[in-house]
Amino acid sequence: MHPALQRLVDANDDLERAERALEAAQEQRRQCARDLAQIEDQSERVSAAVFAYHRFGKGLSLALAEAVTGLPGKKGQSAFLVLAGRMQYQPRGHGAGGGGEPSEPMTEWPAPDECEREIIRAHIAHGRDYWIDRGLGWGCLRTSLRPPEAAAYLKDATGALAGHFGLSREAFVEWLSSCGSVGCEGRNKDATRCKSSVAGRTVQLDVEDWKVAVERGGYCRRHGGDPDYDPRAVRRAHAHSASR
Ligand SMILES: [Zn+2]
């Protein structure tokens, strides 16, 4: 055999060995995932499986579901994914997650990754609300989406959240990228917009307080703003009178 052909034959043997090794490693990992069933304490078992799911992602949800629920197949998997979604937002006890809060203000809501998409689809299939609880670096966004909203969130996360809060996409992005601040509507001497922070507590507002503050408009102290104005108090008062 010509040495060049021999090298190709050898390279092919190497590849086949590597593929067999990969398959064996994957099967071993699945078996280890199923072995989580050996953890006797139920809440420890569930949180171990959810941790593994978020850490190792695709290809393990069936085995993990089996370990947690004892049910084989899709039924256990779907129930497990709903559980994983619910537990995702608990304080993380395993030092998992990776990433954490972004340091730059966002200009788009990040699209869900494949793990999260799978969880959202399981919530939709079960007719359950999907919880979002995300740190933004300067604040956080906590809300729950009804199944139809969650379906829209899968297609366009930014647009779906904007709609959920009754904001236009542009307004929602402005809230995100301004870190929840509202700029003064007054004009400078050169007719440009002042944009100083509005008197009262108008930085790092959560999205619903921000919406109230924007609807009211406002002015900085220099432009005659009311220093006692607090959109959070306005919204609370509003919610209170509406609930009567
Ligand atoms: Zn101003």
mmCIF file of all heavy atoms in Angstrom, residues 138 161-168 171-172 174-176 178-182 185 201-202 204-218 229-232 234-235 238:
data_model
loop_
_atom_site.group_PDB
_atom_site.id
_atom_site.type_symbol
_atom_site.label_atom_id
_atom_site.label_comp_id
_atom_site.label_asym_id
_atom_site.label_seq_id
_atom_site.Cartn_x
_atom_site.Cartn_y
_atom_site.Cartn_z
ATOM 1 N N TRP A 138 -28.058 46.690 37.268
ATOM 2 C CA TRP A 138 -28.505 47.868 38.014
ATOM 3 C C TRP A 138 -29.878 47.646 38.649
ATOM 4 O O TRP A 138 -30.380 48.494 39.369
ATOM 5 C CB TRP A 138 -28.574 49.070 37.068
ATOM 6 C CG TRP A 138 -29.373 48.798 35.824
ATOM 7 C CD1 TRP A 138 -28.885 48.302 34.637
ATOM 8 C CD2 TRP A 138 -30.778 48.954 35.641
ATOM 9 N NE1 TRP A 138 -29.923 48.145 33.735
ATOM 10 C CE2 TRP A 138 -31.083 48.545 34.316
ATOM 11 C CE3 TRP A 138 -31.814 49.411 36.464
ATOM 12 C CZ2 TRP A 138 -32.378 48.571 33.810
ATOM 13 C CZ3 TRP A 138 -33.104 49.440 35.940
ATOM 14 C CH2 TRP A 138 -33.372 49.023 34.627
ATOM 15 N N LEU A 161 -41.755 40.927 25.752
ATOM 16 C CA LEU A 161 -41.713 41.584 27.066
ATOM 17 C C LEU A 161 -42.266 43.000 26.989
ATOM 18 O O LEU A 161 -42.983 43.443 27.882
ATOM 19 C CB LEU A 161 -40.280 41.610 27.618
ATOM 20 C CG LEU A 161 -39.809 40.296 28.228
ATOM 21 C CD1 LEU A 161 -38.365 40.432 28.686
ATOM 22 C CD2 LEU A 161 -40.697 39.885 29.397
ATOM 23 N N ALA A 162 -41.936 43.702 25.909
ATOM 24 C CA ALA A 162 -42.477 45.053 25.732
ATOM 25 C C ALA A 162 -44.002 44.987 25.763
ATOM 26 O O ALA A 162 -44.654 45.721 26.507
ATOM 27 C CB ALA A 162 -41.984 45.644 24.415
ATOM 28 N N GLY A 163 -44.569 44.070 24.976
ATOM 29 C CA GLY A 163 -46.017 43.929 24.935
ATOM 30 C C GLY A 163 -46.594 43.544 26.281
ATOM 31 O O GLY A 163 -47.645 44.042 26.690
ATOM 32 N N HIS A 164 -45.894 42.686 26.991
ATOM 33 C CA HIS A 164 -46.344 42.236 28.301
ATOM 34 C C HIS A 164 -46.508 43.418 29.263
ATOM 35 O O HIS A 164 -47.424 43.446 30.078
ATOM 36 C CB HIS A 164 -45.321 41.235 28.844
ATOM 37 C CG HIS A 164 -45.570 40.794 30.253
ATOM 38 N ND1 HIS A 164 -46.588 39.929 30.588
ATOM 39 C CD2 HIS A 164 -44.947 41.105 31.411
ATOM 40 C CE1 HIS A 164 -46.568 39.726 31.900
ATOM 41 N NE2 HIS A 164 -45.582 40.420 32.419
ATOM 42 N N PHE A 165 -45.625 44.392 29.155
ATOM 43 C CA PHE A 165 -45.681 45.555 30.054
ATOM 44 C C PHE A 165 -46.460 46.721 29.438
ATOM 45 O O PHE A 165 -46.495 47.811 30.006
ATOM 46 C CB PHE A 165 -44.268 46.013 30.422
ATOM 47 C CG PHE A 165 -43.570 45.061 31.335
ATOM 48 C CD1 PHE A 165 -42.478 44.330 30.893
ATOM 49 C CD2 PHE A 165 -44.010 44.878 32.639
ATOM 50 C CE1 PHE A 165 -41.842 43.428 31.730
ATOM 51 C CE2 PHE A 165 -43.375 43.978 33.493
ATOM 52 C CZ PHE A 165 -42.289 43.249 33.033
ATOM 53 N N GLY A 166 -47.070 46.483 28.281
ATOM 54 C CA GLY A 166 -47.850 47.547 27.654
ATOM 55 C C GLY A 166 -46.986 48.673 27.125
ATOM 56 O O GLY A 166 -47.406 49.823 27.080
ATOM 57 N N LEU A 167 -45.773 48.332 26.734
ATOM 58 C CA LEU A 167 -44.854 49.337 26.187
ATOM 59 C C LEU A 167 -44.580 49.015 24.721
ATOM 60 O O LEU A 167 -44.681 47.858 24.302
ATOM 61 C CB LEU A 167 -43.515 49.299 26.939
ATOM 62 C CG LEU A 167 -43.518 49.758 28.398
ATOM 63 C CD1 LEU A 167 -42.193 49.381 29.057
ATOM 64 C CD2 LEU A 167 -43.750 51.264 28.486
ATOM 65 N N SER A 168 -44.206 50.051 23.969
ATOM 66 C CA SER A 168 -43.712 49.777 22.627
ATOM 67 C C SER A 168 -42.335 49.144 22.767
ATOM 68 O O SER A 168 -41.687 49.254 23.816
ATOM 69 C CB SER A 168 -43.608 51.069 21.820
ATOM 70 O OG SER A 168 -42.576 51.874 22.357
ATOM 71 N N ALA A 171 -39.842 51.803 23.604
ATOM 72 C CA ALA A 171 -39.903 52.265 24.996
ATOM 73 C C ALA A 171 -39.264 51.235 25.927
ATOM 74 O O ALA A 171 -38.512 51.580 26.841
ATOM 75 C CB ALA A 171 -41.351 52.534 25.406
ATOM 76 N N PHE A 172 -39.549 49.969 25.673
ATOM 77 C CA PHE A 172 -38.969 48.927 26.524
ATOM 78 C C PHE A 172 -37.436 48.931 26.407
ATOM 79 O O PHE A 172 -36.720 48.831 27.401
ATOM 80 C CB PHE A 172 -39.531 47.559 26.125
ATOM 81 C CG PHE A 172 -38.986 46.429 26.946
ATOM 82 C CD1 PHE A 172 -39.352 46.261 28.275
ATOM 83 C CD2 PHE A 172 -38.077 45.535 26.396
ATOM 84 C CE1 PHE A 172 -38.834 45.219 29.044
ATOM 85 C CE2 PHE A 172 -37.547 44.485 27.154
ATOM 86 C CZ PHE A 172 -37.929 44.339 28.477
ATOM 87 N N GLU A 174 -35.672 51.463 25.639
ATOM 88 C CA GLU A 174 -35.182 52.676 26.303
ATOM 89 C C GLU A 174 -35.061 52.450 27.809
ATOM 90 O O GLU A 174 -34.089 52.873 28.445
ATOM 91 C CB GLU A 174 -36.116 53.849 26.014
ATOM 92 C CG GLU A 174 -35.502 55.199 26.391
ATOM 93 C CD GLU A 174 -36.506 56.336 26.244
ATOM 94 O OE1 GLU A 174 -37.353 56.259 25.331
ATOM 95 O OE2 GLU A 174 -36.432 57.279 27.045
ATOM 96 N N TRP A 175 -36.070 51.777 28.359
ATOM 97 C CA TRP A 175 -35.991 51.447 29.799
ATOM 98 C C TRP A 175 -34.733 50.619 30.080
ATOM 99 O O TRP A 175 -33.965 50.917 30.989
ATOM 100 C CB TRP A 175 -37.239 50.663 30.231
ATOM 101 C CG TRP A 175 -37.100 50.092 31.605
ATOM 102 C CD1 TRP A 175 -37.137 50.770 32.791
ATOM 103 C CD2 TRP A 175 -36.855 48.713 31.940
ATOM 104 N NE1 TRP A 175 -36.931 49.909 33.842
ATOM 105 C CE2 TRP A 175 -36.757 48.632 33.346
ATOM 106 C CE3 TRP A 175 -36.706 47.550 31.196
ATOM 107 C CZ2 TRP A 175 -36.513 47.438 34.018
ATOM 108 C CZ3 TRP A 175 -36.470 46.361 31.870
ATOM 109 C CH2 TRP A 175 -36.377 46.306 33.256
ATOM 110 N N LEU A 176 -34.516 49.578 29.267
ATOM 111 C CA LEU A 176 -33.366 48.688 29.454
ATOM 112 C C LEU A 176 -32.046 49.451 29.336
ATOM 113 O O LEU A 176 -31.155 49.321 30.181
ATOM 114 C CB LEU A 176 -33.354 47.624 28.363
ATOM 115 C CG LEU A 176 -33.971 46.267 28.584
ATOM 116 C CD1 LEU A 176 -33.726 45.430 27.337
ATOM 117 C CD2 LEU A 176 -33.407 45.575 29.801
ATOM 118 N N SER A 178 -31.387 52.638 29.376
ATOM 119 C CA SER A 178 -31.165 53.815 30.217
ATOM 120 C C SER A 178 -31.016 53.414 31.684
ATOM 121 O O SER A 178 -30.942 54.279 32.550
ATOM 122 C CB SER A 178 -32.331 54.794 30.082
ATOM 123 O OG SER A 178 -33.496 54.239 30.688
ATOM 124 N N CYS A 179 -30.991 52.106 31.959
ATOM 125 C CA CYS A 179 -30.940 51.620 33.341
ATOM 126 C C CYS A 179 -32.120 52.172 34.149
ATOM 127 O O CYS A 179 -31.977 52.532 35.319
ATOM 128 C CB CYS A 179 -29.626 51.982 34.037
ATOM 129 S SG CYS A 179 -28.184 51.389 33.177
ATOM 130 N N GLY A 180 -33.263 52.261 33.525
ATOM 131 C CA GLY A 180 -34.467 52.657 34.248
ATOM 132 C C GLY A 180 -34.498 54.114 34.660
ATOM 133 O O GLY A 180 -35.073 54.458 35.684
ATOM 134 N N SER A 181 -33.891 54.974 33.856
ATOM 135 C CA SER A 181 -33.920 56.392 34.225
ATOM 136 C C SER A 181 -34.807 57.165 33.246
ATOM 137 O O SER A 181 -35.053 56.742 32.126
ATOM 138 C CB SER A 181 -32.508 56.975 34.238
ATOM 139 O OG SER A 181 -31.976 56.972 32.940
ATOM 140 N N VAL A 182 -35.296 58.302 33.726
ATOM 141 C CA VAL A 182 -36.150 59.156 32.909
ATOM 142 C C VAL A 182 -35.463 60.507 32.801
ATOM 143 O O VAL A 182 -35.064 61.085 33.808
ATOM 144 C CB VAL A 182 -37.533 59.338 33.577
ATOM 145 C CG1 VAL A 182 -38.411 60.263 32.748
ATOM 146 C CG2 VAL A 182 -38.205 57.990 33.754
ATOM 147 N N GLU A 185 -37.530 66.731 30.567
ATOM 148 C CA GLU A 185 -38.082 67.167 29.282
ATOM 149 C C GLU A 185 -37.787 68.633 28.991
ATOM 150 O O GLU A 185 -38.171 69.140 27.941
ATOM 151 C CB GLU A 185 -39.599 66.976 29.280
ATOM 152 C CG GLU A 185 -40.001 65.522 29.295
ATOM 153 C CD GLU A 185 -41.510 65.389 29.321
ATOM 154 O OE1 GLU A 185 -42.117 65.517 28.258
ATOM 155 O OE2 GLU A 185 -42.059 65.183 30.405
ATOM 156 N N ARG A 201 -37.072 60.222 42.595
ATOM 157 C CA ARG A 201 -36.254 59.014 42.400
ATOM 158 C C ARG A 201 -36.488 58.439 41.026
ATOM 159 O O ARG A 201 -37.367 57.629 40.817
ATOM 160 C CB ARG A 201 -36.604 57.993 43.477
ATOM 161 C CG ARG A 201 -36.523 58.608 44.850
ATOM 162 C CD ARG A 201 -36.748 57.577 45.897
ATOM 163 N NE ARG A 201 -35.674 56.598 45.886
ATOM 164 C CZ ARG A 201 -35.649 55.543 46.693
ATOM 165 N NH1 ARG A 201 -36.628 55.338 47.534
ATOM 166 N NH2 ARG A 201 -34.653 54.699 46.642
ATOM 167 N N THR A 202 -35.696 58.853 40.088
ATOM 168 C CA THR A 202 -35.969 58.422 38.718
ATOM 169 C C THR A 202 -34.807 57.680 38.085
ATOM 170 O O THR A 202 -34.709 57.602 36.883
ATOM 171 C CB THR A 202 -36.320 59.622 37.840
ATOM 172 O OG1 THR A 202 -35.274 60.548 37.942
ATOM 173 C CG2 THR A 202 -37.614 60.241 38.273
ATOM 174 N N GLN A 204 -32.843 53.899 37.926
ATOM 175 C CA GLN A 204 -32.957 52.484 38.251
ATOM 176 C C GLN A 204 -34.359 52.118 38.695
ATOM 177 O O GLN A 204 -34.558 51.381 39.657
ATOM 178 C CB GLN A 204 -31.898 52.096 39.298
ATOM 179 C CG GLN A 204 -30.519 52.475 38.814
ATOM 180 C CD GLN A 204 -29.401 51.971 39.704
ATOM 181 O OE1 GLN A 204 -29.636 51.558 40.833
ATOM 182 N NE2 GLN A 204 -28.201 51.978 39.179
ATOM 183 N N LEU A 205 -35.321 52.665 37.987
ATOM 184 C CA LEU A 205 -36.710 52.302 38.257
ATOM 185 C C LEU A 205 -37.006 50.953 37.634
ATOM 186 O O LEU A 205 -36.494 50.646 36.560
ATOM 187 C CB LEU A 205 -37.645 53.338 37.632
ATOM 188 C CG LEU A 205 -37.572 54.735 38.229
ATOM 189 C CD1 LEU A 205 -38.367 55.704 37.373
ATOM 190 C CD2 LEU A 205 -38.096 54.719 39.657
ATOM 191 N N ASP A 206 -37.864 50.189 38.313
ATOM 192 C CA ASP A 206 -38.251 48.962 37.628
ATOM 193 C C ASP A 206 -39.207 49.335 36.503
ATOM 194 O O ASP A 206 -39.661 50.480 36.411
ATOM 195 C CB ASP A 206 -38.786 47.904 38.613
ATOM 196 C CG ASP A 206 -40.207 48.153 39.073
ATOM 197 O OD1 ASP A 206 -40.993 48.774 38.322
ATOM 198 O OD2 ASP A 206 -40.533 47.717 40.190
ATOM 199 N N VAL A 207 -39.481 48.391 35.638
ATOM 200 C CA VAL A 207 -40.123 48.750 34.372
ATOM 201 C C VAL A 207 -41.496 49.382 34.577
ATOM 202 O O VAL A 207 -41.877 50.317 33.873
ATOM 203 C CB VAL A 207 -40.158 47.531 33.412
ATOM 204 C CG1 VAL A 207 -40.963 46.387 33.978
ATOM 205 C CG2 VAL A 207 -40.657 47.916 32.031
ATOM 206 N N GLU A 208 -42.243 48.914 35.588
ATOM 207 C CA GLU A 208 -43.587 49.473 35.765
ATOM 208 C C GLU A 208 -43.540 50.869 36.376
ATOM 209 O O GLU A 208 -44.330 51.738 36.009
ATOM 210 C CB GLU A 208 -44.436 48.502 36.583
ATOM 211 C CG GLU A 208 -44.677 47.233 35.759
ATOM 212 C CD GLU A 208 -45.496 46.195 36.484
ATOM 213 O OE1 GLU A 208 -46.719 46.370 36.512
ATOM 214 O OE2 GLU A 208 -44.916 45.230 37.004
ATOM 215 N N ASP A 209 -42.602 51.092 37.306
ATOM 216 C CA ASP A 209 -42.430 52.449 37.857
ATOM 217 C C ASP A 209 -41.937 53.392 36.759
ATOM 218 O O ASP A 209 -42.341 54.552 36.681
ATOM 219 C CB ASP A 209 -41.403 52.429 39.001
ATOM 220 C CG ASP A 209 -41.928 51.683 40.222
ATOM 221 O OD1 ASP A 209 -43.156 51.643 40.392
ATOM 222 O OD2 ASP A 209 -41.101 51.150 40.987
ATOM 223 N N TRP A 210 -41.071 52.879 35.935
ATOM 224 C CA TRP A 210 -40.521 53.691 34.845
ATOM 225 C C TRP A 210 -41.631 54.136 33.900
ATOM 226 O O TRP A 210 -41.678 55.283 33.471
ATOM 227 C CB TRP A 210 -39.479 52.865 34.097
ATOM 228 C CG TRP A 210 -38.766 53.588 32.999
ATOM 229 C CD1 TRP A 210 -37.650 54.375 33.119
ATOM 230 C CD2 TRP A 210 -39.114 53.599 31.610
ATOM 231 N NE1 TRP A 210 -37.288 54.867 31.891
ATOM 232 C CE2 TRP A 210 -38.166 54.408 30.949
ATOM 233 C CE3 TRP A 210 -40.128 53.001 30.861
ATOM 234 C CZ2 TRP A 210 -38.206 54.629 29.566
ATOM 235 C CZ3 TRP A 210 -40.164 53.223 29.494
ATOM 236 C CH2 TRP A 210 -39.209 54.037 28.867
ATOM 237 N N LYS A 211 -42.551 53.198 33.617
ATOM 238 C CA LYS A 211 -43.668 53.516 32.720
ATOM 239 C C LYS A 211 -44.505 54.668 33.288
ATOM 240 O O LYS A 211 -44.880 55.594 32.569
ATOM 241 C CB LYS A 211 -44.525 52.256 32.564
ATOM 242 C CG LYS A 211 -45.512 52.321 31.443
ATOM 243 C CD LYS A 211 -46.272 50.995 31.372
ATOM 244 C CE LYS A 211 -47.584 51.201 30.625
ATOM 245 N NZ LYS A 211 -48.475 50.065 30.777
ATOM 246 N N VAL A 212 -44.759 54.603 34.598
ATOM 247 C CA VAL A 212 -45.512 55.674 35.257
ATOM 248 C C VAL A 212 -44.754 56.994 35.140
ATOM 249 O O VAL A 212 -45.332 58.042 34.819
ATOM 250 C CB VAL A 212 -45.744 55.318 36.756
ATOM 251 C CG1 VAL A 212 -46.274 56.531 37.525
ATOM 252 C CG2 VAL A 212 -46.700 54.146 36.873
ATOM 253 N N ALA A 213 -43.448 56.932 35.398
ATOM 254 C CA ALA A 213 -42.635 58.158 35.379
ATOM 255 C C ALA A 213 -42.603 58.771 33.986
ATOM 256 O O ALA A 213 -42.691 59.992 33.828
ATOM 257 C CB ALA A 213 -41.217 57.851 35.860
ATOM 258 N N VAL A 214 -42.514 57.922 32.969
ATOM 259 C CA VAL A 214 -42.454 58.434 31.593
ATOM 260 C C VAL A 214 -43.795 59.044 31.193
ATOM 261 O O VAL A 214 -43.851 60.096 30.556
ATOM 262 C CB VAL A 214 -42.057 57.307 30.606
ATOM 263 C CG1 VAL A 214 -42.287 57.737 29.170
ATOM 264 C CG2 VAL A 214 -40.605 56.929 30.814
ATOM 265 N N GLU A 215 -44.886 58.386 31.595
ATOM 266 C CA GLU A 215 -46.206 58.921 31.240
ATOM 267 C C GLU A 215 -46.425 60.289 31.872
ATOM 268 O O GLU A 215 -47.007 61.192 31.279
ATOM 269 C CB GLU A 215 -47.311 57.945 31.695
ATOM 270 C CG GLU A 215 -47.505 56.809 30.695
ATOM 271 C CD GLU A 215 -48.279 55.620 31.271
ATOM 272 O OE1 GLU A 215 -48.767 55.719 32.423
ATOM 273 O OE2 GLU A 215 -48.378 54.595 30.574
ATOM 274 N N ARG A 216 -45.929 60.441 33.092
ATOM 275 C CA ARG A 216 -46.100 61.715 33.783
ATOM 276 C C ARG A 216 -45.163 62.774 33.199
ATOM 277 O O ARG A 216 -45.438 63.960 33.227
ATOM 278 C CB ARG A 216 -45.789 61.518 35.271
ATOM 279 C CG ARG A 216 -45.901 62.777 36.109
ATOM 280 C CD ARG A 216 -45.376 62.466 37.501
ATOM 281 N NE ARG A 216 -45.579 63.574 38.431
ATOM 282 C CZ ARG A 216 -44.751 64.582 38.573
ATOM 283 N NH1 ARG A 216 -43.686 64.679 37.804
ATOM 284 N NH2 ARG A 216 -44.989 65.523 39.463
ATOM 285 N N GLY A 217 -44.050 62.323 32.663
ATOM 286 C CA GLY A 217 -43.027 63.252 32.204
ATOM 287 C C GLY A 217 -42.340 63.833 33.426
ATOM 288 O O GLY A 217 -42.620 63.441 34.555
ATOM 289 N N GLY A 218 -41.479 64.759 33.230
ATOM 290 C CA GLY A 218 -40.865 65.323 34.420
ATOM 291 C C GLY A 218 -39.727 66.247 34.100
ATOM 292 O O GLY A 218 -39.262 66.332 32.956
ATOM 293 N N TYR A 229 -41.460 64.092 44.230
ATOM 294 C CA TYR A 229 -42.180 63.160 43.364
ATOM 295 C C TYR A 229 -41.489 61.800 43.371
ATOM 296 O O TYR A 229 -40.283 61.690 43.191
ATOM 297 C CB TYR A 229 -42.224 63.718 41.938
ATOM 298 C CG TYR A 229 -42.743 62.722 40.945
ATOM 299 C CD1 TYR A 229 -44.052 62.270 41.031
ATOM 300 C CD2 TYR A 229 -41.927 62.210 39.948
ATOM 301 C CE1 TYR A 229 -44.535 61.338 40.142
ATOM 302 C CE2 TYR A 229 -42.405 61.280 39.048
ATOM 303 C CZ TYR A 229 -43.706 60.847 39.156
ATOM 304 O OH TYR A 229 -44.168 59.917 38.269
ATOM 305 N N ASP A 230 -42.272 60.789 43.566
ATOM 306 C CA ASP A 230 -41.711 59.429 43.574
ATOM 307 C C ASP A 230 -42.657 58.515 42.792
ATOM 308 O O ASP A 230 -43.744 58.188 43.267
ATOM 309 C CB ASP A 230 -41.571 58.926 45.015
ATOM 310 C CG ASP A 230 -40.967 57.528 45.065
ATOM 311 O OD1 ASP A 230 -40.851 56.872 44.006
ATOM 312 O OD2 ASP A 230 -40.621 57.096 46.174
ATOM 313 N N PRO A 231 -42.257 58.120 41.585
ATOM 314 C CA PRO A 231 -43.160 57.305 40.762
ATOM 315 C C PRO A 231 -43.536 55.981 41.415
ATOM 316 O O PRO A 231 -44.597 55.422 41.142
ATOM 317 C CB PRO A 231 -42.362 57.082 39.473
ATOM 318 C CG PRO A 231 -40.952 57.382 39.804
ATOM 319 C CD PRO A 231 -40.985 58.381 40.924
ATOM 320 N N ARG A 232 -42.656 55.477 42.272
ATOM 321 C CA ARG A 232 -42.982 54.209 42.945
ATOM 322 C C ARG A 232 -44.200 54.392 43.834
ATOM 323 O O ARG A 232 -45.102 53.566 43.874
ATOM 324 C CB ARG A 232 -41.806 53.731 43.793
ATOM 325 C CG ARG A 232 -40.683 53.171 42.939
ATOM 326 C CD ARG A 232 -39.478 52.861 43.792
ATOM 327 N NE ARG A 232 -38.399 53.761 43.421
ATOM 328 C CZ ARG A 232 -37.131 53.378 43.240
ATOM 329 N NH1 ARG A 232 -36.780 52.132 43.430
ATOM 330 N NH2 ARG A 232 -36.228 54.230 42.897
ATOM 331 N N VAL A 234 -46.450 56.705 43.460
ATOM 332 C CA VAL A 234 -47.604 56.955 42.585
ATOM 333 C C VAL A 234 -48.208 55.634 42.136
ATOM 334 O O VAL A 234 -49.415 55.429 42.183
ATOM 335 C CB VAL A 234 -47.175 57.787 41.345
ATOM 336 C CG1 VAL A 234 -48.311 57.868 40.332
ATOM 337 C CG2 VAL A 234 -46.744 59.183 41.770
ATOM 338 N N ARG A 235 -47.358 54.718 41.717
ATOM 339 C CA ARG A 235 -47.874 53.439 41.229
ATOM 340 C C ARG A 235 -48.531 52.644 42.350
ATOM 341 O O ARG A 235 -49.574 52.029 42.168
ATOM 342 C CB ARG A 235 -46.761 52.605 40.583
ATOM 343 C CG ARG A 235 -47.306 51.295 39.998
ATOM 344 C CD ARG A 235 -46.355 50.683 39.013
ATOM 345 N NE ARG A 235 -45.189 50.093 39.642
ATOM 346 C CZ ARG A 235 -45.134 48.816 40.036
ATOM 347 N NH1 ARG A 235 -46.183 48.033 39.926
ATOM 348 N NH2 ARG A 235 -44.042 48.341 40.564
ATOM 349 N N HIS A 238 -51.838 54.043 43.028
ATOM 350 C CA HIS A 238 -52.698 53.694 41.913
ATOM 351 C C HIS A 238 -53.206 52.254 42.058
ATOM 352 O O HIS A 238 -54.391 51.993 41.955
ATOM 353 C CB HIS A 238 -51.885 53.830 40.623
ATOM 354 C CG HIS A 238 -52.744 54.055 39.439
ATOM 355 N ND1 HIS A 238 -53.347 55.254 39.195
ATOM 356 C CD2 HIS A 238 -53.113 53.223 38.431
ATOM 357 C CE1 HIS A 238 -54.063 55.166 38.090
ATOM 358 N NE2 HIS A 238 -53.939 53.939 37.604
#
